[in-house]
């Protein structure tokens, strides 16, 4: 089995289990990615959230593999760059919150062409940007590799196995959060309730923006 050949030979299965235990609270507990996809799922459903999910997790795979192979350490070595990413990421998430407010205002009436275009912007690119502009994701990935990538077994295949496990674990968690958001919407079928749900998730995204911006005030 490929996993047994790329993780520490004597404890490969135990190491894989430990990796999943390490990742479980990071992926399933509330955080910026979870909030983003719960909000998107609530407002537009899982199918509409799929492009953003794809963008986020393609970016996750690329960043994790780059850090694991030693090519993605720029953010970790330059605090100023991490600060800039925090600032830009916070502003971008605030912009996404505005799209939810606009969506809430158009519910119950005819949607304008501009509003429709605004909704369509939350797709593959938006999902990728949410990950790429979150410097804390880079640090979490770096910690993961320091804990679970051990020389002399830390080759390219080992990096890819850990990266795939990390990415798929996140994907399952975020799909669950998107479905949870949609289930919440299903409980409240009136247009007024749906508008308030959009407003509520817009407020959640404002909280995510504040979370991303927190390093700027330390």
């Amino acid at each position: 089995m490929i996993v047994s050949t790329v993780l520490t030979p004597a404890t490969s299965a135990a190491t894989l289990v430990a990796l999943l235990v390490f990742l479980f609270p990071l992926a399933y507990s509330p955080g910026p990615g979870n909030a983003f996809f719960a909000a998107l799922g609530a407002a537009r459903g899982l199918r509409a959230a799929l492009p953003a999910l794809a963008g986020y997790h393609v970016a996750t795979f690329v960043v994790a593999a780059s850090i694991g192979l030693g090519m993605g350490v720029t953010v970790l070595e330059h605090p100023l760059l991490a600060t800039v990413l925090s600032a830009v990421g916070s502003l971008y998430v605030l912009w996404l919150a505005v799209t939810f407010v606009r969506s809430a205002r158009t519910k119950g009436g005819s949607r304008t062409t501009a509003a429709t275009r605004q909704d369509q912007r939350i797709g593959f690119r938006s999902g990728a940007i949410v990950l790429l502009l979150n410097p804390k994701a880079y640090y979490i990935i770096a910690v993961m590799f320091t804990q679970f990538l051990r020389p002399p077994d830390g080759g390219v295949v080992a990096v890819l196995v850990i990266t795939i496990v990390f990415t798929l674990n996140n994907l399952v968690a975020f799909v669950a959060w998107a479905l949870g958001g949609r289930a919440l919407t299903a409980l409240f079928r009136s247009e007024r309730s749906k508008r308030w749900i959009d407003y509520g998730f817009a407020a959640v995204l404002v909280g995510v923006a504040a979370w991303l911006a927190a390093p700027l005030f330390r």
Side-chain angles (χ1 to χ4, degrees):
M1 189 167 98
I2 190 169
V3 173
S4 65
T5 64
V6 297
L7 299 175
T8 49
T11 60
S12 57
T15 302
L16 184 59
V17 171
L19 174 61
L20 291 171
V21 170
F22 171 80
L23 294 176
F24 185 88
L26 297 176
Y28 289 88
S29 61
N34 313 67
F36 173 70
F37 287 109
L40 192 55
R44 297 168 180 84
L46 178 61
R47 181 176 296 180
L50 289 178
L53 280 163
Y56 188 98
H57 290 92
V58 167
T60 297
F61 182 88
V62 171
V63 170
S66 297
I67 291 175
L69 295 172
M71 298 182 296
V73 297
T74 303
V75 174
L76 306 179
E77 293 179 344
H78 296 84
L80 179 59
L81 179 56
T83 299
V84 171
L85 285 178
S86 293
V88 176
S90 178
L91 292 173
Y92 184 74
V93 173
L94 282 175
W95 178 83
L96 292 176
V98 171
T99 69
F100 280 85
V101 173
R102 291 181 177 179
S103 174
R105 288 179 175 177
T106 60
K107 283 182 177 175
S110 60
R111 297 181 60 85
T112 64
T113 302
T116 301
R117 286 199 301 265
Q118 192 79 357
D119 285 352
Q120 290 173 345
R121 291 179 187 176
I122 305 181
F124 184 94
R125 183 175 61 181
S126 296
I129 290 174
V130 169
L131 184 281
L132 294 172
L133 294 182
N134 180 9
K136 292 186 178 180
Y138 294 72
Y139 290 100
I140 290 172
I141 292 168
V143 169
M144 175 183 68
F145 279 114
T146 60
Q147 294 295 315
F148 296 99
L149 190 66
R150 309 282 188 191
D153 305 294
V156 173
V157 178
V159 169
L160 292 179
V161 169
I162 293 173
T163 297
I164 290 170
V165 171
F166 176 71
T167 304
L168 291 179
N169 182 71
N170 267 11
L171 177 60
V172 171
F174 290 179
V175 167
W177 276 81
L179 289 172
R182 194 57 176 175
L184 178 63
T185 304
L187 293 176
F188 303 95
R189 298 182 179 275
S190 72
E191 292 298 333
R192 182 177 180 181
S193 296
K194 291 177 181 178
R195 285 197 300 272
W196 281 108
I197 288 172
D198 273 356
Y199 285 134
F201 278 112
V204 170
L205 290 180
V206 171
V208 171
W211 187 88
L212 289 174
L216 303 176
F217 303 98
R218 292 177 183 171

